């Protein structure tokens, strides 16, 4: 820790995350790196000397939210200045990478703009912006930020709870025509095995039971192993399954082109790898998938689903869909609806196409009218919602293992998560928190489940038989 950090912490940093879980992870790392410079993390921007907005550029609406938030931050900064206190404001993340100097031009409240690959340089950038506001760093540096960023602080590790996210891969080389990620996050980079293992072991020692591995294209993971060879995601999962205390593993987000045979087999062979998989398809039309540059067809996806379900019959699949991509016809959309019916998803994220500047899709002909996009989106959402409800109801009567995390809102109620990520409410003693306990599912809502401890259900059945 630097000499500054050894002194009593007198400055405060507030970090607000938008978008994906990787942004949340990055926000935590930014707070940690500023912690080495004497900053303590606070819960509200009004308390902060440094306000960081960690942004998402996937959706146009998300980008505009940042500018709206900057309007509110400007008021906070002006009020602090009136009281003789200096507050600095930074925009980080994918909007920062995509728009760079435009942010400083459009929002004078901003002191610095930092892209996702430069968070390890944040203390120096803050110091520079303190002298000359308007610092912009959106280069893709040669050094690997994961090698330079500090590990999570002891306080953060202790406060994390029973579940944690760990970034193992960043960037994407796929260049889907609708997506800004290759331009904002850069080429695919995989963290070395030793880094990941050290982080997961530290989390396990603090009481974490479930770890989700993160990456923009996580199943393309190809990190360096301790012996110098390149490891796949499947090999990494097998190694992490041996970490004492880690009972559950997940990973997200996947590309269908990267579901290798050994990864499919891991779903069969690893009991700790949860039976849920987010596998974005984006469209059910091969013609649209070609224009999206997805590099897989409708039939490729359906065959992959069959392989995965043969390996793990109880797996729940979720996906992403974009409707109204340029050139999407009624027949193309009908293919999407048919694919959804064939697969039967447990849930899905659905979006109307939004052109992102700088992507090939924005320059394509055949943009679909907004009214037709909305009509198709509503139809798809209705089908997905019906499938989600059907999946939830299919769990009624089943006994599943629940990782209990916290007390519920009602007296005596405890809340845990199922292998399928659904919250489950159960009347149980508080001693179950931190444990994985069999629960019989008795009721289903769209986004949560009700249940009873399997032991209680067994006793009730015995008493009923008597």
């Amino acid at each position: 820790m630097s000499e500054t950090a050894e002194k009593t912490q007198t400055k405060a940093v507030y970090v607000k995350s938008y978008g994906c879980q990787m942004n949340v992870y990055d926000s935590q790392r930014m707070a940690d790196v500023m912690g080495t410079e004497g900053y303590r993390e606070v819960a509200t921007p009004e308390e902060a000397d440094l306000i960081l907005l960690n942004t998402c550029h996937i959706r146009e609406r998300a980008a505009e939210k940042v500018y709206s938030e900057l309007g509110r931050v400007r008021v906070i900064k002006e009020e602090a200045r009136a009281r003789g206190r200096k507050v600095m404001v930074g925009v980080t993340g994918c909007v920062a990478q995509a728009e760079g100097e435009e942010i400083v031009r459009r929002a004078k409240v901003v002191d610095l703009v930092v892209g996702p690959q430069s968070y390890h340089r944040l203390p120096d950038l803050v110091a520079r912006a303190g002298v000359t506001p308007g610092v912009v760093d959106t280069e893709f540096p040669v050094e690997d930020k994961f090698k330079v960023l500090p590990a999570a602080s002891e306080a953060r590790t202790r406060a994390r709870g029973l579940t944690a996210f760990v970034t193992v891969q960043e960037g994407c080389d796929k260049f889907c025509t609708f997506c800004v990620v290759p331009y904002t996050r850069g080429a695919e980079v995989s963290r070395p095995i030793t880094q990941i293992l050290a982080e997961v072991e530290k989390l396990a020692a603090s009481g974490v039971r479930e770890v989700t591995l993160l990456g923009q294209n996580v199943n393309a993971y190809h990190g360096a192993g301790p012996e110098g060879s390149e490891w796949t995601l499947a090999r990494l999962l097998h190694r992490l399954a041996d970490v004492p205390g880690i009972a559950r593993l997940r990973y997200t987000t996947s590309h269908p082109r990267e579901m290798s045979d050994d990864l499919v087999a891991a779903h069969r062979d690893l009991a700790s790898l949860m039976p849920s998989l987010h596998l974005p398809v984006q469209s059910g039309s091969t013609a649209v998938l070609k224009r999206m540059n997805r590099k897989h067809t409708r039939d490729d996806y359906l065959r992959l689903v069959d392989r995965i379900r043969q390996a793990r019959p109880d797996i729940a699949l979720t996906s992403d869909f974009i409707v109204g991509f340029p050139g999407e016809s009624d027949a193309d959309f009908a293919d999407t609806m048919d694919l959804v019916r064939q697969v039967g998803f447990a849930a899905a994220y659905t979006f109307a196409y939004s052109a992102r500047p700088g992507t090939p899709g924005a320059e394509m002909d055949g943009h679909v009218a907004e009214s037709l996009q909305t009509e198709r989106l509503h139809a798809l959402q209705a089908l997905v919602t019906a499938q989600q409800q059907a999946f939830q109801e299919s769990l009624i009567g089943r006994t599943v293992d629940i990782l209990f995390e916290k007390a519920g809102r009602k007296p005596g109620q405890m809340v845990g998560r199922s292998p399928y990520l659904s919250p489950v409410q159960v009347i149980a003693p508080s001693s179950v928190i931190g444990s994985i306990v069999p629960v019989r599912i008795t009721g289903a809502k769209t986004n949560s489940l009700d249940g009873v401890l399997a032991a209680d259900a067994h006793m009730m059945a015995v008493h009923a038989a008597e």
Side-chain angles (χ1 to χ4, degrees):
M1 183 177 287
S2 69
E3 181 180 341
T4 304
E6 290 175 356
K7 300 175 183 178
T8 302
Q9 292 185 339
T10 58
K11 291 188 177 182
V13 59
Y14 168 79
V15 190
K16 181 170 183 176
S17 292
Y18 299 80
C20 67
Q21 286 296 337
M22 188 176 290
N23 263 15
V24 175
Y25 182 91
D26 281 345
S27 293
Q28 293 169 347
R29 295 289 77 73
M30 282 189 278
D32 289 332
V33 77
M34 292 311 298
T36 67
E37 299 298 316
Y39 283 77
R40 60 188 173 85
E41 188 176 6
V42 292
T44 66
E46 289 80 6
E47 303 172 75
D49 301 286
L50 173 62
I51 298 171
L52 299 174
L53 305 182
N54 192 15
T55 61
C56 172
H57 203 249
I58 294 296
R59 308 295 299 165
E60 181 177 8
R61 196 172 173 185
E64 289 304 316
K65 282 181 179 179
V66 176
Y67 287 105
S68 296
E69 185 69 20
L70 285 172
R72 291 185 284 272
V73 168
R74 179 179 57 81
V75 175
I76 295 171
K77 185 172 183 176
E78 290 174 351
E79 290 177 346
R81 184 187 299 122
R83 296 193 300 271
R85 187 167 68 86
K86 181 179 181 180
V87 173
M88 296 182 65
V89 176
V91 176
T92 69
C94 292
V95 173
Q97 185 69 41
E99 302 196 11
E101 304 236 359
E102 173 66 12
I103 296 172
V104 176
R105 186 196 66 78
R106 183 172 168 181
K108 303 299 183 184
V109 66
V110 175
D111 297 290
L112 70 158
V113 176
V114 185
Q117 305 307 320
S118 299
Y119 297 151
H120 56 294
R121 303 203 293 227
L122 191 57
D124 176 60
L125 298 173
V126 169
R128 285 168 50 193
V131 177
T132 307
V135 170
V136 177
D137 188 335
T138 55
E139 297 298 318
F140 287 103
V142 175
E143 68 267 30
D144 177 4
K145 74 176 186 182
F146 291 117
K147 293 180 180 177
V148 185
L149 283 172
S153 65
E154 292 296 332
R156 186 184 305 285
T157 302
R158 289 194 303 271
R160 201 181 285 267
L162 297 167
T163 63
F165 294 94
V166 174
T167 294
V168 300
Q169 180 272 341
E170 187 172 12
C172 185
D173 297 340
K174 295 296 181 289
F175 288 92
C176 297
T177 56
F178 56 81
C179 186
V180 297
V181 166
Y183 311 102
T184 59
R185 289 280 181 172
E188 292 174 3
V189 176
S190 296
R191 294 178 71 188
I193 294 295
T194 52
Q195 280 189 29
I196 298 167
L197 185 58
E199 184 169 349
V200 172
E201 287 175 340
K202 184 177 180 181
L203 291 168
S206 74
V208 167
R209 304 295 311 281
E210 177 178 304
V211 169
T212 300
L213 306 182
L214 297 178
Q216 267 90 29
N217 192 16
V218 69
N219 54 348
Y221 177 83
H222 53 276
E227 76 293 347
S229 67
E230 196 171 84
W231 286 34
T232 64
L233 181 64
R235 188 174 178 186
L236 171 61
L237 288 164
H238 277 277
R239 177 63 185 87
L240 296 180
D242 291 334
V243 174
I246 299 300
R248 290 180 162 189
L249 295 168
R250 305 180 190 272
Y251 62 91
T252 193
T253 290
S254 303
H255 194 291
R257 292 275 297 176
E258 303 290 352
M259 284 299 298
S260 57
D261 289 343
D262 65 340
L263 186 54
V264 173
H267 282 277
R268 178 195 65 211
D269 299 334
L270 279 178
S272 57
L273 182 56
M274 291 294 93
S276 60
L277 174 62
H278 189 64
L279 191 63
V281 61
Q282 306 299 354
S283 174
S285 162
T286 294
V288 171
L289 290 170
K290 184 175 182 179
R291 289 196 295 276
M292 288 179 166
N293 195 36
R294 290 290 288 172
K295 298 184 176 69
H296 64 84
T297 67
R298 165 197 178 87
D299 287 343
D300 290 338
Y301 188 86
L302 290 172
R303 284 194 293 269
L304 174 59
V305 168
D306 286 343
R307 285 174 51 214
I308 294 167
R309 284 181 167 158
Q310 286 171 9
R312 188 70 189 260
D314 64 335
I315 201 163
L317 295 174
T318 60
S319 196
D320 293 342
F321 289 91
I322 296 172
V323 302
F325 189 76
E328 183 186 70
S329 66
D330 288 342
D332 292 327
F333 179 67
D335 281 347
T336 293
M337 296 289 278
D338 181 69
L339 182 140
V340 174
R341 293 187 187 97
Q342 285 196 52
V343 174
F345 292 100
Y349 297 101
T350 58
F351 307 96
Y353 174 70
S354 172
R356 309 312 294 133
T359 61
E363 307 300 321
M364 288 183 177
D365 295 328
H367 281 254
V368 178
E370 185 176 338
S371 58
L372 184 54
Q373 282 191 345
T374 301
E375 179 183 325
R376 289 174 179 172
L377 182 63
H378 288 169
L380 178 58
Q381 287 174 335
L383 177 57
V384 167
T385 299
Q387 288 192 345
Q388 183 176 355
Q389 186 65 41
F391 172 75
Q392 293 284 88
E393 291 176 356
S394 74
L395 298 175
I396 296 175
R398 284 183 53 187
T399 297
V400 295
D401 289 338
I402 305 301
L403 171 58
F404 282 96
E405 298 180 274
K406 60 184 179 180
R409 295 180 180 178
K410 298 178 181 178
Q413 185 185 72
M414 298 295 137
V415 179
R417 71 171 68 191
S418 77
Y420 306 107
L421 280 175
S422 302
V424 183
Q425 292 96 22
V426 180
I427 299 300
S430 59
S431 58
V432 300
I433 293 177
S435 300
I436 297 174
V437 181
V439 167
R440 183 172 178 81
I441 304 302
T442 58
K445 308 178 185 69
T446 303
N447 296 305
S448 65
L449 300 165
D450 296 320
V452 296
L453 296 179
D456 293 343
H458 174 73
M459 291 306 299
M460 284 188 289
V462 169
H463 290 315
E466 293 174 351

